[in-house]
Amino acid sequence: MHISALTKSDPMKPTYSLFWLGLAALPVIAISPAGATSLSPDPKKQPEHPAHGHAGHANPVETLEVRSHHLLRGPQVTLSRKVMEQQVPGTNPLKVLAQLPGVQFQSDDPQGLDTYSTQLYMHGFVQNEIGMTLDGIPLGEPTFRNYNGLNPLQAISAENVERLDVTQSAGTEATASTNNLGGTINYVSTNPRDQTGGQINQTFGSNALFHSFFRFDSGRLNRTGTKFFVSYMRNDTDKWKGGGDQFMQQVNAKLVQPIGTQSEITAFFDWDQLQMVNYQDYTPNWLQNNGYDLDNFYGLPNAWNNAYAASEGKYPASYGNVQDAKDASYYESTATSGDYFGGITADLALTNRLRWKTTLYGHEETGHGTYASPYACTDATTSPCPVADDTIRLNGGRIFEQVRKPTVERFGGVSSFSYNIGHHALSTGVWYENNHYSTYAYAYQEPLPGEGAPLDPFGSFNGVPHRTLWGQEYNTNTFTAFVQDTWHPVRALALHFGFKSILSTTRVGDAQNWSLRFPTLTTNASLTTAKAFLPHISADWTLGRHHQVFVDISENAHTYPQSGYNSSNAPMAVSQAAYDSVKNTLRPETAWTYAMGYRYTDRLVQGSLYLYRTNFNNRLQQILANTGAGAILSNTTATVQNVGGVTMNGVDAGLTLTPVRGLALLNSVSYNHSVYDQNISSGGVTYHTRNRQVVAYPKFMYKSRLSYDWHDFQTYIDAQYYSSRSFDYVGDYKIAPYWMSDLGMSYTFRNVRLARQGYSVHRIVLSFNIYNLANTHYVSTMGQNGFTMDNTNGNAFNNQSILLGAPRQFFGSIKAEF
């Protein structure tokens, strides 16, 4: 969404504020005085509320803000910085977002930073179907091995996020994305401060967690108001099971140059480096029969020798009852990436009614992912491998390093005009991006035992590989445009109409493949998504001081996804024959969403009800022809088919009670009935998926939170319940439901004097958090390696495609602001 859609002051547009008391997931609304609407609201100016705070209490009120021009593009809420600050420093903001009803976030680490495992669902849509931006700059699809953007946690440090503007169900037409089937999330970065200062955060925690954050703010450097900040973040922690660690470091910088009082030029820069040892992919079988602690060998005592022995069928004693022990015997799995990302924005008031906002941006990502596979040799009885074997080997060794090397190079621009006339707020804009995505997989031979150390998974891998397994080159040009009008026939009523147009063409070619393992891959094809008219209609009506109702209707489209060979539901990541067999049936995924809601608020009670229906059409699904042990490098072939639609009907309801000052009790429930519309036929078999709940998303969620603020002391305890989730498309195997709970508390010291000369610290905050308070054992991420069609012969029960959630963890931190 372009926040330039309104001028900085318009007396016809009241401001709506959502008071999220104690992180209340279901907000309430109060109307501010006329003329309070602000294009760039000052995050330090929070509205007051009689149910929160004390006289002389300096803490800002916890809020979720919804401005009128946002509401008119769907039921939008704003996750404030204060809400995020209550979590462990460095926590992924999307994990905090999961306290909203209808939102599910999963990760195998307590901070939500493991890019391999992070998984977000919002009203039945997964993260690659949710449009994400940073200050309006498109972030693409935040998936592992992202092909057209950047994971938000790698784009900006959590401490530099001012707020998240979130639109659920119906996406906003002005958002620069081509995947907002299930809504939009816009990250807004903090501005540099007007006064010179800084911030230091230091956190310690379980598993040797060491999180550091340093930020310097220049303050206003001259009479024009030039100012900037620069920050450095470092997060390092051991894994909670197995060996190895997970490391990330990041530099952010932002420059703001005001032009007069109504215009400004801003520039943002990000550099990040990520090195993570991944957790072992689990099967439900292992979880049931072998407990919580299976993991890859890397980082453990005698790791390489144990891994090699396992590749020969000599397993540790603890593997006595492991089903398919070889698939539990990978030496390592890692992810390494680095990014340069940034943009410059001019937000100009051309007249008192006309604004022009333009952003130019660029992004480059390089890196690699590895796993040391024990499947180099298919003969488990002979060591070294037989000479006649056609597997990957130079020295007869049984383990090889598979290395994927994706790169992303993209640049583009976003531009919009907004104009206010009478009771209308008009805006129009365009977005263009060119993206070059390259993805290759290589095989490197590992040494025999006693002949040297295994390859360093975090090395450069610049040498000549033994095999090029496959490679693909994609080039995509994307153009979108939107037009919208918000009309206020009377002060309390707002009517909105707009539409979006998409034209996106992807070409793929220059592929390489090793025919001994994979079918010949000569794909030279292109796919175009062209949607000239994607409408969005909404209405918002405020009734007195306590009531608000709204309706929202929209259609959105998702351009064709991309990935490496056989790695996802990308229709061109298959063999030429597989592509040719389905190309005439391929259509872009689309979704119609119909939503309506009601909110009530007063001093003691805040409640809301939100109902939605979505018709999700032309869903693309990857179907494997061969799965099982060693499928990573077997003669696995895949097709990507149009398997029809999904119908979603859902409701969110919430109630927040604030009986006394500083105390808030939240309860929310979410129900989502998302089912497939058709049966699926593949390989001559018909699978009865019609009217079965979609995979991975719970039908029922319950969230509760009790919080209390007293002067400079804050504390909360929350609990979340997730019902069972389908682990195959037919739904005959489900992952068990579970409860989760967390605890946090903090105390703030203000204006602490450091020396007699007058040096002082504005704020020192001491905090303590417990993650997974009840030490629940549960499945977090699901489907990272795909889902089976059903559980025939234990297909789902033995599918190595779940990750386990972290056990109880403790964190303590200190933050100083100068």
Side-chain angles (χ1 to χ4, degrees), residues 16-78:
Y16 300 97
S17 295
L18 292 181
F19 289 80
W20 201 9
L21 302 177
L23 293 185
L26 265 293
V28 298
I29 299 175
I31 300 178
S32 298
T37 299
S38 172
L39 173 67
S40 302
D42 185 351
K44 299 177 182 178
K45 297 177 181 177
Q46 299 287 359
E48 297 178 357
H49 193 283
H52 222 47
H54 298 271
H57 187 196
N59 285 344
V61 176
E62 295 180 35
T63 66
L64 279 178
E65 290 185 285
V66 174
R67 291 169 296 283
S68 60
H69 60 288
H70 288 158
L71 273 176
L72 297 172
R73 287 150 179 79
Q76 177 169 317
V77 295
T78 295

Side-chain angles (χ1 to χ4, degrees), residues 653-710:
L655 180 68
T656 300
L657 304 177
T658 53
V660 298
R661 181 175 295 176
L663 179 67
L665 174 63
L666 146 77
N667 287 277
S668 73
V669 294
S670 301
Y671 176 79
N672 177 281
H673 183 66
S674 297
V675 296
Y676 302 111
D677 294 339
Q678 294 91 14
N679 294 329
I680 297 176
S681 295
S682 177
V685 179
T686 297
Y687 298 94
H688 298 285
T689 55
R690 188 171 183 266
N691 292 328
R692 304 296 176 92
Q693 183 77 8
V694 299
V695 293
Y697 189 69
K699 184 175 290 187
F700 178 79
M701 290 185 282
Y702 168 74
K703 302 176 183 181
S704 181
R705 185 182 185 91
L706 178 66
S707 66
Y708 184 65
D709 291 6
W710 184 74

Side-chain angles (χ1 to χ4, degrees), residues 190-202:
T190 60
N191 276 329
R193 299 174 183 173
D194 289 335
Q195 302 295 325
T196 303
Q199 178 180 329
I200 299 175
N201 293 5
Q202 186 60 60

Side-chain angles (χ1 to χ4, degrees), residues 152-153 155-161 213 231-233 250-252 270:
L153 68 87
I156 184 170
S157 300
E159 290 89 345
N160 291 328
V161 177
F213 177 80
S231 69
Y232 173 76
M233 184 278 294
Q250 188 170 43
V251 172
N252 287 162
D270 167 76

Side-chain angles (χ1 to χ4, degrees), residues 256-271:
V256 175
Q257 176 59 63
I259 303 175
T261 59
Q262 297 292 311
S263 304
E264 66 180 18
I265 294 176
T266 61
F268 180 84
F269 171 78
D270 167 76
W271 169 84

Side-chain angles (χ1 to χ4, degrees), residues 131-146:
M132 297 192 188
T133 57
L134 170 61
D135 294 335
I137 301 175
L139 295 177
E141 302 187 18
T143 58
F144 188 62
R145 304 189 188 101
N146 193 317

